[in-house]
Amino acid sequence: MNIVRVALDVPLSSLFDYTVEGSVAVGQRVIVPFGRRQMVGVAMDCLATTDVPPERIKPVRQVLHDSAPLSGELLDLLRFCSDYYRYPIGQTVMSALPSRLRSDKPVISKPVLIYRLSARGAALDLDIFPKRRVVQLRILTKLAEEPCNLAQLRTLSVTAGAQLKVMMAEGWVENVALTKPHISSCGGGAQQHTFNNVHTLTDEQLQAVDAVTQPSGYACFLLHGITGSGKTEVYVHLMHQVLQRGGQVLLLVPEINLTPQLESYFRSRFPDVNLTSLHSGLSEGERLLNWQQAQEGAAQVVLGTRLSVFAELPRLALIIVDEEHDSSFKQQDGLRYSARDVAIFRASQRGVPIVLGSATPSLESYHNAQSGRYRMIRLTGRALAEARLPAVRCININQTVMHHGISENLLREIGLRIALKEQSLLFINRRGYAPVLMCGGCGWLSGCKNCAGKMVLHLNDKRLRCHHCGYQLHVPHSCPDCGNADLHPVGSGTQRVESVLQERFPEARILRVDRDSTRNKRTWKTMREQIHANEVDILVGTQMLVKGHDFPALTLVGVLNPDSALYSSDFRAAEKLFAQLVQVGGRAGRANKPGEVLIQTAFPDHPLFRALQSHDFDGWAASQLSERKMAGFPPFMYQAMLRAEGKQEQEVYGFLNTARTAGVALQHKVAILGVVPAALPRRANHVRAQLLIQGEKRKDLQHFLRAWQPLMDALPAKKLRWSLDVDPLEF
Ligand code: ADP
Ligand code: ZN
Ligand code: ZN
């Protein structure tokens, strides 16, 4: 009998011992009894003996051989994450796996079916195909371009599955099972691939590529390149070099919406390379298949969102983190990891280079690059000689006529662009019509009954909606407090901006892009196509519009209400705003037309806007860093946040205060701040509060957390939820 130590998806910090006949490989999945259930787990260790008394130890029910064992390297990475982020090892290990591998049902990897046109289908004349068979026509057109799987075809229509059956019965479409490509040797070795080298690199790009490829072993590079400087081109050339040597590349991107675009872009540059994506938008089956392709080394490039940082990559030779400053690399629940930081650990574990790319690096990365921990690579010019950075101007909202939040100056500029058949974009970080409804009689505000926040007015369907808990109401006809009928919206959201524009430019084609207008994934895709086809004159949108999308006809960007971030209690608010405005400004004038950014503000002389106007990231970063240093904030300080929420205020504060006292008693080299209400002190009828810990050294903070957490685990906390967030981004 051998003993196997198993990681299970339970909120306990330990592993669990079982006996097993024969042997189990470390990293293999096993099914074991746990309490009255049976659970799937991962063998973390094989031992000869255990402290568990023989009468209590149970045997493993089954060793699963349906998927290759996890590598020791991945298990080490997960052990590190569990320890660093103070999250139970079993839950850490299991949350890294695709859901199919987390279930106790055996994995039957169903082959993914690829659909393509049959000879008869290819012979169809689409010009005379009945126009009312819209979906069929779309599918035929798409398949004429390339064979697709069902998930890809579903993006054309929800009825794609049913229509495919019809079309297969007609004999127009056939399917083939995609079998995993056979890899003769996983040991590496040069492989040939086609590389469409469409650009001659600029000198700066060339230097960047050389800098990353020259050293061997681990090194972390910060690729700081202005928007349009051609960072993607640098990635492409780096990939090419790694692929030539038979290595795998992991490319992390922040936004799931961007993956299809990027995927097809990289595919166009490397047409015969196995490029695989990993993100939560895939079906369970696809995610498993893609994960296994990475694990087998068949996937040469893995493109994914933060979860892909845990993909098995036996020949990993390069990691790229695009838009490294983006906060979506940080997971906000469960294992609260930063995929960027885990990627850096991973690169050093494997001894390979990692490139962090951004036009507006996080101050953490920037500081590390300046202090020499990372190596700084700069791209200071735009790749296309004729493309210039946009001109940035401020409009003082106190010195101009305003129309429900839009200034006369901005409206005039939009009018000019419409006449020129160019696009404008208005950026406002609030959806809905107005952030709050107010009574003119008594000053009543539309608060949420469950939360400390306000209910947002949505005029389209005449509702008040809480964006925190989802609670909604019909818009009242009169004030619930005083009965006055004089209720009016305060402030503007995307819907209100849209209606002001409609009134002013009745002929213009206006497109609103926010979470309400793009509930359905396909709509956003269709909208992007409309924008590209120049079927839109004015875009109104939230940060959804900011990231990564190229809109060639766009020449004007208006920023509507940035001021609240200037004096926010969140010390990162200004950093985020700067990054957002650079990104959104970068959307303007990317083709051969110069762009212009107009910012509506009451503080036109604020240093942030000054820095934006002169495109001076370095100056801005230097001033922010010196403020952070003086105030004792990251990157000069390491933080962890203890959060708690529950129905009873007493319990929540009681727990945090007890935890605090226990922490102080440890007498470690950390500062334990006071217990304070969360930024949103009540959400969905739960009281929320928090406690911040700071240490001057990462090591000190980690040392403290290791000692502190078991004390908290031991506290009674039945009626509340608490969590530790290491390196928190949200306050
Ligand atoms: P970034 O990601 O830095 O914002 P991109 O990689 O999107 O910039 O590049 C901006 C534009 O410049 C793209 O249209 C790209 O095709 C083009 N480009 C990049 N490198 C070169 C080059 N060396 N020569 C010509 N065009 C280039
Ligand atoms: Zn009232
Ligand atoms: Zn609410």
Side-chain angles (χ1 to χ4, degrees), residues 3-19 26-28 30 32-34 39-47 49-52 56-57 70 75-76 78-80 82-83 87-94:
I3 306 293
V4 55
R5 191 155 277 178
V6 180
L8 291 174
D9 193 358
V10 291
L12 297 169
S13 55
S14 57
L15 297 169
F16 301 89
D17 290 357
Y18 292 87
T19 56
V26 167
Q28 197 87 46
V30 292
V32 296
F34 188 79
M39 292 184 87
V40 68
V42 173
M44 300 294 287
D45 235 332
C46 295
L47 316 155
T49 57
T50 172
D51 297 337
V52 182
R56 293 201 40 208
I57 195 157
L70 305 180
L75 295 181
D76 282 344
L78 294 168
R79 276 193 200 95
F80 162 79
S82 162
D83 179 55
Y87 197 62
I89 179 69
Q91 289 184 308
T92 304
V93 170
M94 296 312 282

Side-chain angles (χ1 to χ4, degrees), residues 199-202 205 226-233 383-384 590:
H199 298 304
T200 314
L201 293 185
T202 63
Q205 286 173 324
I226 60 169
T227 54
S229 59
K231 292 184 286 295
T232 317
E233 197 59 28
L384 296 162
R590 288 182 57 108

Side-chain angles (χ1 to χ4, degrees), residues 200-212:
T200 314
L201 293 185
T202 63
D203 285 348
E204 282 188 326
Q205 286 173 324
L206 210 54
Q207 283 168 14
V209 173
D210 283 348
V212 179

Side-chain angles (χ1 to χ4, degrees), residues 681-731:
R682 197 164 60 92
R683 185 172 70 191
N685 277 324
H686 283 69
V687 176
R688 310 165 77 231
Q690 60 198 31
L691 168 60
L692 188 68
I693 325 296
Q694 304 201 121
E696 278 178 39
K697 297 210 174 87
R698 204 189 280 280
K699 220 175 55 198
D700 293 341
L701 180 63
Q702 282 288 313
H703 186 51
F704 168 75
L705 294 177
R706 270 184 216 118
W708 191 39
Q709 192 189 10
L711 305 179
M712 289 190 293
D713 283 335
L715 291 179
K718 274 226 162 59
K719 291 188 189 143
L720 51 86
R721 290 206 316 208
W722 63 269
S723 63
L724 255 181
D725 188 353
V726 180
D727 305 328
L729 284 186
E730 282 188 357
F731 284 83

Side-chain angles (χ1 to χ4, degrees), residues 638-659:
Y638 297 90
Q639 299 180 322
M641 182 79 91
L642 175 65
R643 299 195 183 89
E645 62 175 71
K647 292 218 160 135
Q648 303 296 331
E649 182 163 334
Q650 257 178 336
E651 304 234 2
V652 172
Y653 281 85
F655 172 83
L656 290 174
N657 281 316
T658 316

Side-chain angles (χ1 to χ4, degrees), residues 94-284:
M94 296 312 282
S95 66
L97 297 180
S99 56
R100 283 273 167 92
L101 295 181
R102 270 181 261 156
S103 117
D104 61 0
K105 297 189 186 57
V107 178
I108 310 155
S109 15
K110 267 199 268 170
V112 168
L113 292 175
I114 297 290
Y115 295 85
R116 62 182 185 206
L117 294 182
S118 65
R120 277 185 59 197
L124 287 175
D125 185 350
L126 296 186
D127 289 337
I128 55 165
F129 193 84
K131 289 277 177 288
R132 64 199 154 71
R133 296 192 184 174
V134 194
V135 178
Q136 294 191 4
L137 196 55
R138 265 193 231 158
I139 294 175
L140 289 170
T141 314
K142 177 80 185 162
L143 292 183
E145 284 167 26
E146 55 176 346
C148 292
N149 61 23
L150 184 58
Q152 285 169 298
L153 293 175
R154 280 225 187 91
T155 65
L156 302 174
S157 161
V158 266
T159 62
Q163 293 298 331
L164 271 174
K165 283 203 187 113
V166 177
M167 296 163 75
M168 287 177 70
E170 294 275 6
W172 298 332
V173 174
E174 58 194 19
N175 63 22
V176 283
L178 179 75
T179 43
K180 293 173 203 156
H182 182 68
I183 284 282
S184 48
S185 102
C186 278
Q191 292 178 7
Q192 287 303 316
H193 65 267
T194 314
F195 174 41
N196 289 331
N197 192 0
V198 292
H199 298 304
T200 314
L201 293 185
T202 63
D203 285 348
E204 282 188 326
Q205 286 173 324
L206 210 54
Q207 283 168 14
V209 173
D210 283 348
V212 179
T213 45
Q214 240 141 47
S216 67
Y218 164 78
C220 183
F221 298 89
L222 178 62
L223 178 61
H224 179 200
I226 60 169
T227 54
S229 59
K231 292 184 286 295
T232 317
E233 197 59 28
V234 173
Y235 304 158
V236 166
H237 279 258
L238 289 173
M239 280 180 190
H240 172 57
Q241 301 216 2
V242 170
L243 293 172
Q244 275 184 318
R245 288 185 275 118
Q248 286 177 298
V249 180
L250 173 63
L251 172 61
L252 296 175
V253 297
E255 171 83 8
I256 182 169
N257 281 319
L258 290 174
T259 52
Q261 268 168 282
L262 281 169
E263 212 179 316
S264 63
Y265 180 72
F266 287 111
R267 208 159 261 152
S268 75
R269 305 297 300 274
F270 302 109
D272 53 15
V273 160
N274 181 333
L275 192 144
T276 297
S277 64
L278 271 180
H279 52 78
S280 55
L282 299 175
S283 71
E284 285 184 10

